[in-house]
Amino acid sequence: MPAVTRFTVLPLVTGLAERRQSLRSAIIITAFATAVGLTVVGTQHQAVLVFVAFAATCCLWTPMTPLTDAYALRGVSHYGLNYGPLRLWGSAAFVVGALACGLLVDVIAPERLIWVIATLAGLSALASLGLRTIDGLKKVDVRQRGRSALFRDPGFLGIILASALIQGSHAAYYIFASIVWKQSGLGGLTIAALWSLGVLAEIVLFAVSPRFTLAPAMLVMTGALAAIARWVITAQDPPIAVLAIVQLAHGLTFGLTQVGTMSLMVHHVPGHVMARGQGYLAACSGIVAGLASILSGAVYARYGQGVYYAMAAMAGSGAMVIWLARHRVATAPADHPHSAASGG
């Protein structure tokens, strides 16, 4: 359901928030609706009712990420901040959350874990009340300039497609890595350590990203090339020592691609359609990731580790897209000037 809502309901929610010029309010509403929805999920015990409650919750849960990204990028542009050091806290929270959940699984009955999730969603909703309204954005006719202008912009289409292909090339890794490592004889602690290495690498990359001097398109290109190398090496079923080094490449394949994509978005997408742009990015990523997941399942069933060659091909396609679009994304649109420091 989360994957389906990313390319169906999500763009509608982000578009509505943009038309009403109420990004902060949209984040607050979706945060509280998510907390309430997950609470309702926890009260249901029949499979059909759980499904219906969760499906409804997903309609307002999945838009939270593009809405908060749009809010963050407006802050980056308005206050001259750097995206990477802001984004690293999401990765750090993931590490803490994963470790905490690993401990809770041993002390809380599985059917009670939903209350932990709902409680954290409630804390997120309360935190959303502290968001400021970012002033200084010019009022424009969003209906006239925002509804289809992005789809007529080859540069924007190149950005979201390249990002979706490169990030989507992680599909087989997300789905099958733990299974393959387990079958190879690695223990649970070792597998957890390998996952942690990847996330720690992206945290470090986000922290140092303000020092990068490459153009954003070249950052995305570098992330794509790193992904090609990573998946080709992973397909060889390398020993643990090599695998640990390869895991550190996650900072490049995911982190560098994310930093480059967000920098391109902040420089290329006008501020008044940033929410819509983030919605389209999430929708495109959802479609590509969903198709990649289905593809990787079919390929893994027949070729095993050879599925990573298909993922390398996806990353290579992303590299080709951003290379062809590099000149179109090198400068911001005429109605969206930025200082050289904006976006880090």
Side-chain angles (χ1 to χ4, degrees):
M1 285 310 304
V4 171
T5 58
R6 283 190 187 100
F7 60 86
T8 54
V9 180
L10 185 154
L12 300 178
V13 174
T14 55
L16 178 62
E18 176 186 280
R19 286 195 298 273
R20 294 181 175 273
Q21 291 290 290
S22 55
L23 192 54
R24 175 182 178 272
S25 298
I27 294 174
I28 293 174
I29 292 171
T30 54
F32 275 93
T34 297
V36 172
L38 290 172
T39 300
V40 173
V41 170
T43 63
Q44 304 305 310
H45 303 288
Q46 297 182 20
V48 173
L49 295 179
V50 170
F51 174 80
V52 171
F54 184 65
T57 302
C58 286
C59 292
L60 292 174
W61 169 41
T62 54
M64 286 184 64
T65 295
L67 286 172
T68 51
D69 273 339
Y71 179 88
L73 292 187
R74 281 189 178 181
V76 164
S77 177
H78 186 65
Y79 296 110
L81 305 175
N82 293 296
Y83 174 79
L86 299 176
R87 177 59 177 79
L88 72 84
W89 294 103
S91 300
F94 178 85
V95 173
V96 174
L99 294 175
C101 288
L103 295 174
L104 289 173
V105 165
D106 293 331
V107 298
I108 298 180
E111 63 271 18
R112 300 291 183 184
L113 290 173
I114 183 63
W115 299 116
V116 177
I117 299 171
T119 299
L120 291 174
L123 292 176
S124 174
L126 292 175
S128 70
L129 296 175
L131 296 176
R132 298 180 179 181
T133 299
I134 300 179
D135 298 320
L137 296 173
K138 295 181 179 179
K139 297 292 184 179
V140 296
D141 187 350
V142 176
R143 289 175 297 178
Q144 178 180 355
R145 302 176 62 191
R147 185 161 294 178
S148 61
L150 289 176
F151 280 127
R152 296 196 304 269
D153 182 356
F156 172 75
L157 296 178
I159 293 170
I160 64 172
L161 181 58
S163 176
L165 287 169
I166 300 168
Q167 302 291 26
S169 75
H170 292 72
Y173 166 66
Y174 292 146
I175 297 173
F176 297 111
S178 293
I179 297 174
V180 171
W181 296 339
K182 185 75 171 178
Q183 292 174 344
S184 299
L186 299 182
L189 183 60
T190 302
I191 293 174
L194 287 172
W195 280 100
S196 297
L197 277 176
V199 181
L200 289 173
E202 73 181 56
I203 290 174
V204 172
L205 184 133
F206 286 140
V208 302
S209 61
R211 302 182 182 181
F212 296 160
T213 57
L214 281 177
M218 291 300 100
L219 295 180
V220 176
M221 172 66 73
T222 303
L225 296 178
I228 295 172
R230 181 185 183 186
W231 305 138
V232 169
I233 295 173
T234 304
Q236 314 306 314
D237 194 13
I240 184 65
V242 175
L243 190 58
I245 296 174
V246 171
Q247 280 299 97
L248 293 175
H250 192 71
L252 298 176
T253 62
F254 171 81
L256 197 61
T257 301
Q258 180 75 2
V259 169
T261 299
M262 292 301 127
S263 294
L264 287 171
M265 292 288 283
V266 93
H267 285 88
H268 194 79
V269 179
H272 67 279
V273 291
M274 185 59 75
R276 188 184 299 270
Q278 287 292 328
Y280 290 153
L281 172 62
C284 183
S285 298
I287 294 172
V288 172
L291 293 175
S293 298
I294 296 172
L295 171 66
S296 62
V299 175
Y300 180 79
R302 185 167 184 177
Y303 298 105
Q305 287 280 81
V307 68
Y308 285 109
Y309 289 122
M311 298 299 102
M314 277 190 65
S317 299
M320 183 177 299
V321 170
I322 197 63
W323 177 256
L324 294 175
R326 68 191 187 282
H327 296 304
R328 295 184 180 273
V329 301
T331 56
D335 64 338
H336 185 54
H338 282 277
S339 66
S342 295

